Amino acid sequence: MSLKDQLLAKIDNRTACIGVVGLGYVGLPLALEFARAGFKVIGYDVSDSVVKALMSGKSHIQDVPSAEVARLVKARKFEATADESRMQEMDAISIAVPTPLAKTRDPDMGYVIAAADAIGRNCRPGVVVILESTTYPGTTRELMQPKLEAAGLKVGEDVFLAFSPERVDPGNPVWNTKNTPKIVGGITPACTEIASALYATCLDTIVPVSSPETAELVKLLENTFRSVNIGLVNEMAIVCDKLGVNIWEVIDAAATKPFGFMKFTPGPGIGGHCIPLDPHYLAWKMRTLNYKTRFIDLASEINSEMPAVVVRKVTEALNEERKAVNGSRILVLGVAYKKDIDDMRESPALDVIRLLETQGAKVHYHDPYVPKFREDGHEHVSVALTDKEIKSADAVVIVTDHSSVDYQRVVDLARVVVDTRNATAKLTKGKGRIVSLASAASYATA
Ligand code: SAJ
């Protein structure tokens, strides 16, 4: 029986040992899906503290209950390790490690290279390796394949290699690892077949594509699509500001079109670990081919400009009160990168706060999901949203519109509210003024 058929048989009868490298918001849910499908799963992570916590039945990932980790550890279906030699037991290895951008906006492939090297040191014939980390097109073929073949393993015959983009949206109550369609693109048809068979054991829908480059580009198209469309509505907000039209009313009315339109909303900029970063992987790759990806760069330029647009609105609002930003007391409401989560990564609130403080404002923040954070070497602590805190602010700026905040109370008590998320649209007029991201008075959405 060929190595391919042996591996397919082990996948089919669940005797394959599944490895997941990187136990974060992508790797841990995936590892547990395989364990629930009946496989023995070994999760590898370089962090001893992550490994220790998981082995004691504690989850560090918001969408993964600790009870589930404890159950699968106890059932000996899942174990976590920081010992790379355990990779020698694995018949399948999914890699879900970070792919951040360096300060120069160039890809930082350090984690992927470290994982690939560890696998190269411990891999044996008959194994399938799947890269899930978002990366530039060509990574699987140009970086991963040589690492495996340097170990004397022929991809497509001795080992099998594919790319399958992660599509995890942390906190999403509807879409999760199991029910989100899974794209799979292998170096060879056998690679695609094996990787597809593996994921089909635990995920609802598998979408095979013809190459890893196709799969790599699917992910980049998905997230570049968002970045560009967010950039478009952010520019439309600037346009509406200059025309004195309410951008939110324009978008809500456009969204009544039952076809050919998809609603995006303007805001203070874009945050998170995906949308601000992923498109730059494609831009970087195209630069190496002497092509400038204009949409990606333009969207990034406009989205990155939004914190300054917000600070300009604050400056104008204070100016109306004959106040300078310098010396004013500003209360920022919501600092997480989007509503109802606690993640601060790349949050535009950090830029808004930094710009205001640079102009001499005394900035406090309140965020029910973020009790404190460190930035620029010092610690910021969330203040209680007391009447006094709201009243004493020269301006309150809604940067992230968490659902749990009582915006009517804010509007009732604040002197000035700068609303960058249309969180005040349905409220009755309060004591102070409301300044929308696009100058016209806010309008009550239907
Ligand atoms: N944002 C806007 N206007 C919008 C949408 C988003 O300003 O219309 C801002 C958000 O406030 C945030 C940033 O953009 O700061 C990113 O928001 P996001 O909704 O794209 O959320 P993310 O970063 O959590 O993106 C993830 C992505 N999932 C994966 O990469 C697997 C993305 O593909 C999902 O479409 C997105 O979640 C989602 O739909 O929630």
Side-chain angles (χ1 to χ4, degrees):
M1 192 190 263
S2 71
L3 284 171
K4 172 191 160 194
D5 292 339
Q6 286 173 46
L7 184 48
L8 283 171
K10 283 180 173 179
I11 290 168
D12 187 46
N13 64 24
R14 307 294 191 271
T15 56
C17 171
I18 309 297
V20 176
V21 174
L23 299 175
Y25 77 92
V26 175
L28 185 59
L30 179 64
L32 299 194
E33 289 299 347
F34 280 124
R36 281 192 283 267
F39 290 103
K40 178 180 181 321
V41 180
I42 301 175
Y44 170 82
D45 200 290
V46 292
S47 162
D48 287 326
S49 59
V50 164
V51 168
K52 211 157 139 246
L54 289 170
M55 290 307 282
S56 62
K58 287 195 191 66
S59 165
H60 59 297
I61 300 298
Q62 76 177 75
D63 295 338
V64 177
S66 293
E68 184 66 350
V69 174
R71 181 180 74 83
L72 292 166
V73 167
K74 190 158 176 278
R76 306 177 72 77
K77 279 292 175 193
F78 172 71
E79 67 174 299
T81 181
D83 171 4
E84 74 165 53
S85 67
R86 299 295 306 277
M87 292 181 185
Q88 292 166 26
E89 301 165 45
M90 300 172 184
D91 297 302
I93 307 176
S94 288
I95 305 169
V97 297
T99 45
L101 281 184
K103 286 281 175 230
T104 53
R105 283 263 180 266
D106 291 346
D108 172 0
M109 299 305 290
Y111 297 95
V112 170
I113 290 167
D117 286 342
I119 293 169
R121 286 191 293 271
N122 295 283
C123 199
R124 52 179 166 73
V127 172
V128 60
V129 177
I130 303 119
L131 178 60
E132 295 220 352
S133 309
T134 305
T135 183
Y136 61 84
T139 302
T140 306
R141 194 182 303 277
E142 297 160 16
L143 189 154
M144 296 297 298
Q145 183 169 354
K147 295 245 178 227
L148 292 177
E149 295 194 334
L153 299 163
K154 181 89 183 91
V155 167
E157 289 164 27
D158 305 321
V159 289
F160 304 92
L161 177 61
F163 184 81
S164 180
E166 61 90 357
R167 283 175 155 178
V168 176
D169 179 26
N172 191 316
V174 176
W175 297 103
N176 52 52
T177 298
K178 181 166 174 34
N179 67 6
T180 301
K182 193 82 167 120
I183 307 291
V184 178
I187 294 281
T188 70
C191 299
T192 306
E193 182 188 349
I194 292 168
S196 300
L198 174 71
Y199 284 121
T201 61
C202 60
L203 306 183
D204 295 351
T205 312
I206 308 302
V207 182
V209 293
S210 59
S211 70
E213 288 81 4
T214 304
E216 289 157 345
L217 273 164
V218 165
K219 172 70 179 182
L220 293 173
L221 172 60
E222 287 166 5
N223 284 4
T224 301
F225 167 78
R226 288 186 72 74
S227 169
V228 167
N229 279 285
I230 295 164
L232 171 63
V233 285
N234 279 331
E235 180 163 60
M236 288 302 282
I238 295 168
V239 164
C240 284
D241 189 17
K242 293 184 182 307
L243 296 173
V245 175
N246 188 300
I247 180 65
W248 311 99
E249 183 175 12
V250 170
I251 291 170
D252 284 343
T256 60
K257 182 177 179 189
F259 51 85
F261 182 78
M262 183 172 176
K263 179 176 180 179
F264 286 85
T265 52
I270 60 173
H273 45 277
C274 303
I275 310 307
L277 307 182
D278 296 348
H280 290 284
Y281 269 81
L282 183 55
W284 173 84
K285 176 69 180 179
M286 296 319 291
R287 282 200 297 276
T288 68
L289 301 174
N290 294 322
Y291 179 78
K292 182 170 167 44
T293 50
R294 285 153 293 175
F295 274 106
I296 293 173
D297 298 348
L298 177 59
S300 175
E301 187 186 314
I302 292 172
N303 290 329
S304 311
E305 184 193 327
M306 294 313 288
V309 171
V310 170
V311 170
R312 268 204 305 277
K313 300 305 290 182
V314 174
T315 306
E316 288 167 8
L318 290 171
N319 200 40
E320 292 279 308
E321 315 282 320
R322 298 178 185 282
K323 287 179 185 169
V325 175
N326 196 342
S328 284
R329 186 187 174 94
I330 310 279
L331 175 62
V332 167
L333 281 192
V335 292
Y337 81 78
K338 68 177 183 179
K339 73 187 322 186
D340 302 343
I341 63 168
D342 62 3
D343 197 333
M344 287 287 292
R345 278 176 289 189
E346 306 288 325
S347 176
L350 297 172
D351 299 306
V352 170
I353 291 170
R354 188 181 303 120
L355 288 169
L356 287 168
E357 287 182 336
T358 305
Q359 293 187 35
K362 288 194 295 302
V363 183
H364 292 175
Y365 87 92
H366 169 76
D367 187 315
Y369 289 81
V370 183
K372 60 183 177 182
F373 66 90
R374 284 195 73 77
E375 182 64 17
D376 294 338
H378 64 272
E379 188 160 82
H380 297 257
V381 179
S382 177
V383 295
L385 194 59
T386 60
D387 289 8
K388 182 170 178 292
E389 195 67 55
I390 300 171
K391 285 176 179 171
S392 60
D394 293 302
V396 176
V397 191
I398 302 171
V399 175
T400 301
D401 50 333
H402 291 307
S403 311
S404 60
V405 172
D406 178 354
Y407 295 105
Q408 184 63 62
R409 176 169 158 255
V410 172
V411 163
D412 289 345
L413 298 171
R415 294 189 187 117
V416 177
V417 176
V418 177
D419 179 4
T420 74
R421 298 283 193 171
N422 205 37
T424 60
K426 297 183 182 139
L427 304 181
T428 51
K429 187 111 182 58
K431 181 182 75 144
R433 281 187 308 120
I434 297 174
V435 175
S436 161
L437 194 59
S439 63
S442 62
Y443 96 104
T445 40

